[in-house]
């Protein structure tokens, strides 16, 4: 908790987290057809889609938490950029799982890549929920790894 | 020389007519001139509801699309209750079978059911039986024949229709009609009356969206 306070006491990281959460949350809700922009801006939560909504919320929250913490680590501690990989990868995997299905993105992939695109779309659609759960798992692991290493590095930094 | 060209012309015409008969087989339910706005619905479903209704919803859908399933279960019942059953609106389903191999065969199966005048019963049975896996086997040929049996169709007739692929051209034509009208995802809807066609309504949108547009157009 102290690490979170330390990172997000800087308004730049708080702003980044808010921007990441809102863009990812709204983007995924649009792709997953919880929000429509045309012909009217409208949101709805149809019965049977509660789990998908919950996974999108968790995924967006964790991405907004982990990515700014990793950027803080790079900026403040001059740590390796490679250590950011887990957070970015988790967010990316979680996002693409919901991007396909029968919406315009899936159709564009199928139209562009033919049978290979259809296979990829089918895979991402069939395993959307497990892929999102795995992405959340990656982000949770990435969070604890980041908190632990930030704690160690900050102690070392304060001793130095 | 002229006779030769006449013969060549006759052969070409014969080939075109044969191809047309093969691709679009004789269908007593088919109206080749049926058009709603700019959309040709000639090879789509029979009309659900009153043919005289002032407004038509044209739905482009895929039987394996989960959002089509959501629309079928969450939005369509209210539209049926308030607009179709009251004669204000009718609905036509046009195949946009793109998600997988089983999408195409399921669409063909719906037209085979139409041969026995059970299109809409079969259509509903498909959406009630959909599982959330694309090409996962729920719409395999064997299961599609099983669905026909569930509905009391003549299974031998249905099976021979499905195995002949007689409606593959019709499904392809419908899919191309959707693409040419800019439908880039399923379900996609146009609402048409005698004067205008709505913009594309993309996705499994809630009833309130349709209510708003339908009330404006009736």
């Amino acid at each position: 908790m102290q690490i979170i306070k330390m990172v997000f006491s800087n308004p730049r990281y708080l702003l980044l987290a808010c921007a990441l959460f809102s863009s990812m949350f709204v983007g995924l809700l649009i792709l997953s057809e919880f929000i429509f922009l045309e012909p009217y801006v409208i949101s709805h939560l149809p019965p049977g889609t509660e789990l998908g909504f919950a996974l999108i919320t968790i995924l967006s929250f964790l991405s907004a938490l982990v990515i700014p913490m990793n950027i803080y680590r790079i900026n403040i501690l001059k740590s390796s950029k490679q250590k950011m990989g887990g957070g970015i990868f988790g967010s990316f995997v979680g996002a693409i799982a919901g991007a396909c299905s029968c919406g315009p993105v899936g159709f564009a992939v199928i139209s562009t890549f033919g049978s290979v695109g259809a296979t990829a779309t089918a895979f991402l659609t069939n395993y959307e929920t497990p892929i999102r759960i795995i992405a959340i798992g990656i982000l949770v692991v990435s969070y604890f790894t980041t908190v632990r290493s930030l704690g160690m590095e900050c102690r070392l930094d304060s001793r130095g | 020389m002229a006779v030769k060209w006449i013969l060549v012309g006759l052969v070409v015409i014969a080939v075109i007519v044969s191809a047309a008969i093969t691709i679009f087989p004789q269908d007593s339910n088919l109206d080749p001139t049926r058009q709603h706005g700019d959309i040709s619905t000639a090879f789509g479903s029979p009309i659900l509801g009153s043919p005289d209704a002032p407004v038509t919803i044209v739905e482009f859908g895929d039987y394996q699309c989960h959002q089509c399933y959501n629309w079928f279960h969450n939005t369509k019942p209210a539209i049926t209750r308030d607009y179709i059953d009251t004669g204000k609106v009718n609905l036509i389903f046009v195949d946009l079978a793109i998600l997988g191999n089983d999408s195409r065969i399921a669409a063909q199966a719906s037209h085979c059911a139409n041969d026995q005048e059970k299109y809409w019963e079969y259509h509903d049975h498909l959406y009630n039986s959909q599982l959330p896996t694309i090409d996962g086997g729920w719409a395999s040929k064997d299961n599609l024949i099983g669905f026909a049996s569930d509905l009391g169709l003549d299974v031998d007739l249905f099976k021979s229709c499905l195995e002949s692929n007689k409606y593959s051209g019709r499904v392809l034509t419908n899919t191309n009609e959707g693409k040419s009208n800019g439908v880039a995802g399923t379900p996609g809807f146009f609402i048409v009356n005698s004067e205008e066609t709505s913009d594309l309504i993309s996705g499994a949108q809630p009833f309130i969206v349709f209510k708003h547009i339908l009330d404006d157009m009736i």
Side-chain angles (χ1 to χ4, degrees):
Chain A
M1 204 64 187
Q2 275 186 327
I3 299 292
I4 293 176
K5 276 183 187 169
M6 180 178 75
V7 174
F8 293 105
S9 60
N10 183 332
R12 279 192 307 166
Y13 293 99
L14 194 61
L15 198 66
L16 176 66
C18 291
L20 272 171
F21 177 79
S22 51
S23 58
M24 197 161 170
F25 187 60
V26 172
L28 287 176
L29 289 183
I30 290 170
L31 284 173
S32 299
E33 300 194 359
F34 289 105
I35 293 177
F36 296 100
L37 302 178
E38 289 179 334
Y40 310 106
V41 178
I42 194 163
S43 64
H44 75 146
L45 183 62
T49 59
E50 295 85 355
L51 176 64
F53 181 81
L55 291 176
I56 286 173
T57 309
I58 295 167
L59 195 67
S60 305
F61 174 77
L62 285 173
S63 298
L65 185 68
V66 171
I67 292 173
M69 285 171 75
N70 278 282
I71 292 174
Y72 174 89
R73 183 176 165 182
I74 291 164
N75 285 346
I76 305 295
L77 304 170
K78 310 295 179 202
S79 185
S80 164
K81 283 182 184 172
Q82 285 175 342
K83 289 181 180 173
M84 242 187 94
I88 299 282
F89 182 70
S91 305
F92 179 73
V93 167
I96 61 164
C100 287
S101 188
C102 30
V105 177
F107 269 54
V109 170
I110 293 170
S111 300
T112 309
F113 299 105
S115 58
V116 176
T119 306
T121 301
F123 178 82
L124 290 171
T125 305
N126 292 347
Y127 298 103
E128 180 179 329
T129 302
I131 290 171
R132 281 207 174 131
I133 291 170
I134 289 168
I136 287 170
I138 293 169
L139 283 165
V140 168
V141 170
S142 183
Y143 168 76
F144 283 111
T145 310
T146 308
V147 165
R148 197 179 57 185
S149 52
L150 265 177
M152 286 170 63
E153 285 159 350
C154 286
R155 271 201 300 277
L156 285 172
D157 198 41
S158 60
R159 282 176 196 169
Chain B
M1 194 64 178
V3 175
K4 184 184 162 190
W5 283 112
I6 289 168
L7 283 173
V8 169
L10 287 174
V11 169
V12 169
I13 290 166
V15 168
I16 291 169
V17 169
S18 306
I21 289 169
T22 307
I23 295 170
F24 307 120
Q26 288 272 309
D27 184 340
S28 56
N29 298 311
L30 207 62
D31 172 7
T33 61
R34 197 174 69 183
Q35 184 91 12
H36 288 85
D38 293 333
I39 308 155
S40 168
T41 56
F43 301 108
S45 72
I47 293 171
L48 178 68
S50 167
D52 300 323
V55 174
T56 298
I57 299 173
V58 181
E59 176 188 0
F60 286 92
D62 183 310
Y63 287 109
Q64 292 201 97
C65 163
H66 193 62
Q67 295 295 356
C68 301
Y69 170 96
N70 284 339
W71 190 83
F72 177 85
H73 286 281
N74 298 323
T75 304
K76 191 179 174 188
I79 291 177
T80 303
R81 184 194 62 219
D82 292 358
Y83 293 95
I84 296 175
D85 288 349
T86 55
K88 296 175 188 167
V89 171
N90 58 37
L91 185 141
I92 293 169
F93 183 88
V94 183
D95 315 298
L96 184 51
I98 193 171
L99 284 177
N101 293 328
D102 290 352
S103 300
R104 289 183 280 278
I105 191 82
Q108 289 178 47
S110 69
H111 296 297
C112 288
N114 191 33
D115 284 351
Q116 298 183 48
E117 302 193 342
K118 292 243 179 166
Y119 180 92
W120 286 108
E121 291 85 345
Y122 198 86
H123 171 96
D124 293 354
H125 199 50
L126 284 173
Y127 277 126
N128 283 319
S129 307
Q130 193 197 83
L131 295 177
T133 47
I134 294 171
D135 289 348
W138 75 266
S140 66
K141 197 173 274 186
D142 286 345
N143 280 354
L144 294 170
I145 292 166
F147 297 155
S149 173
D150 295 343
L151 293 171
L153 297 178
D154 180 332
V155 173
D156 289 336
L157 199 62
F158 181 88
K159 194 175 172 185
S160 75
C161 169
L162 198 58
E163 288 177 347
S164 71
N165 286 323
K166 71 189 259 196
Y167 288 122
S168 61
R170 182 169 175 170
V171 171
L172 185 64
T173 302
N174 284 338
T175 300
N176 288 335
E177 185 65 23
K179 288 179 184 173
S180 67
N181 279 285
V183 184
T186 51
F189 304 88
F190 291 98
I191 299 177
V192 186
N193 66 11
S194 57
E195 293 165 6
E196 58 177 326
T197 301
S198 73
D199 290 334
L200 174 67
I201 302 165
S202 192
Q205 301 219 16
F207 174 64
I208 188 74
V209 171
F210 286 86
K211 179 177 168 47
H212 197 88
I213 298 169
L214 289 170
D215 287 346
D216 273 356
M217 291 179 75
I218 289 171

